[in-house]
Amino acid sequence: WINHPELRWIFASYAAALSTRDSLKCRNVIRSPFYQRHYGDAFTLTSDQNAKTRFENEHTGLRLATSVGGLGTGEGGDRIVVDDAHNVIDAESDLVREGTLTWWDETMSTRYNDQQTGAAVAVRQRSHHRDFSGHVLAQNSGWVHLCLPMRYEHTRQVYVGGKIIEQPTQECATPLGFKDPRSEEGELLHPARFDEENTARLEKELGTYGTAGQLQQRPSPRGGAIFKRARFGSYLVLPKFTEVLISVE
């Protein structure tokens, strides 16, 4: 709103309480003496539309907080922000997960005030290969993928506008102007906050599958989740089989 006070924003999360919490924090920042001293001349909040989940300014700018599946008919925005479309537990439920994806595809995709200029931001940790992030990236619909794994992976791939590019071979990995500054395999993302000891503890508690998704942002571990790649052998002479198992996903 400092530069574009007329923009109308919609913020959504899997739980209404989280969206409301962030809406209150945003309004508190706007009302703070520091903000008003530096940016108070850009816009003023209106008194008739100043609630916890919805407030406006005199330039018709709007900030609306809602939950997945909770947006009423007739609401639209110039920018849509989705923070954790589903939690870790819900992401494992096919019914809940697919319901979230349907909400995005069939409801939120039509809520831009202008389809030519509307934009969206989605923030989340990975929890399933078919979670919100995996879904929208698979659609190849112009998303820019900013991926920050806990431990640096030299062979990490990111999606930009539906195309896969390798990191760190590009001078700038995304149009956002950001390139992961790390270069050593396994280098931690933020050692001052999550050092080696704490990260190792998290990895142990989360297990292989949880670590791959929630920390490395790669829901399928490189070595396999249930069937470990390292456990498969090769034979020069075909052994006698007593049982054959086929696993298809």
Side-chain angles (χ1 to χ4, degrees):
W1 282 355
I2 295 171
N3 296 312
H4 298 282
E6 74 284 356
L7 290 182
R8 300 176 72 83
W9 294 74
I10 296 176
F11 289 80
S13 181
Y14 72 89
L18 296 180
S19 298
T20 301
R21 177 201 65 186
D22 292 342
S23 182
L24 284 170
K25 288 183 177 181
C26 179
R27 191 174 64 172
N28 288 340
V29 168
I30 292 173
R31 287 173 163 177
S32 69
F34 177 89
Y35 193 99
Q36 288 300 311
R37 185 166 62 251
H38 288 83
Y39 312 115
D41 58 345
F43 63 89
T44 301
L45 295 179
T46 59
S47 57
D48 57 337
Q49 286 290 342
N50 192 358
K52 291 180 179 180
T53 59
R54 181 189 183 109
F55 51 86
E56 299 183 4
N57 63 47
E58 85 278 20
H59 297 279
T60 71
L62 165 73
R63 191 196 193 284
L64 174 64
T66 186
S67 60
V68 171
L71 188 64
T73 302
E75 297 288 0
D78 304 303
R79 304 289 185 265
I80 299 175
V81 181
V82 183
D83 185 5
D84 281 335
H86 31 222
N87 63 25
V88 174
I89 296 176
D90 288 344
E92 293 296 329
S93 166
D94 291 342
L95 181 63
V96 176
R97 188 180 63 255
E98 293 302 322
T100 297
L101 304 184
T102 299
W103 163 79
W104 176 258
D105 290 341
E106 299 182 6
T107 300
M108 299 309 291
S109 64
T110 66
R111 296 308 170 95
Y112 294 112
N113 290 330
D114 187 333
Q115 290 287 339
Q116 299 298 318
T117 61
V121 176
V123 184
R124 66 168 287 103
Q125 63 179 3
R126 298 300 307 273
S127 53
H128 191 278
H129 70 282
R130 276 279 297 167
D131 60 15
F132 185 90
S133 297
H135 176 70
V136 297
L137 289 175
Q139 290 179 327
N140 292 333
S141 55
W143 287 83
V144 172
H145 184 201
L146 178 59
C147 182
L148 298 173
M150 177 67 83
R151 294 187 184 275
Y152 182 69
E153 295 177 343
H154 188 272
T155 57
R156 168 70 65 176
Q157 295 176 334
V158 295
Y159 296 80
V160 176
K163 297 180 179 179
I164 298 177
I165 63 174
E166 299 281 352
Q167 293 191 90
T169 57
Q170 299 290 330
E171 187 65 27
C172 176
T174 77
L176 300 176
F178 176 86
K179 177 178 178 294
D180 197 322
R182 296 174 290 176
S183 58
E184 297 295 326
E185 187 76 13
E187 188 176 348
L188 293 176
L189 177 64
H190 194 339
R193 186 170 184 181
F194 292 97
D195 59 17
E196 181 62 40
E197 180 181 355
N198 288 324
T199 300
R201 176 181 54 79
L202 276 175
E203 291 170 336
K204 184 176 181 179
E205 292 174 350
L206 287 169
T208 303
Y209 187 79
T211 295
Q214 296 184 51
L215 298 188
Q216 294 303 109
Q217 313 308 311
R218 179 176 30 78
S220 298
R222 282 186 291 188
I226 298 175
F227 298 99
K228 306 294 185 181
R229 186 178 302 159
R231 296 175 183 171
F232 286 85
S234 59
Y235 301 90
L236 297 177
V237 178
L238 189 66
K240 181 180 179 180
F241 291 101
T242 57
E243 185 177 359
V244 176
L245 172 67
I246 299 177
S247 178
V248 179
E249 183 176 350

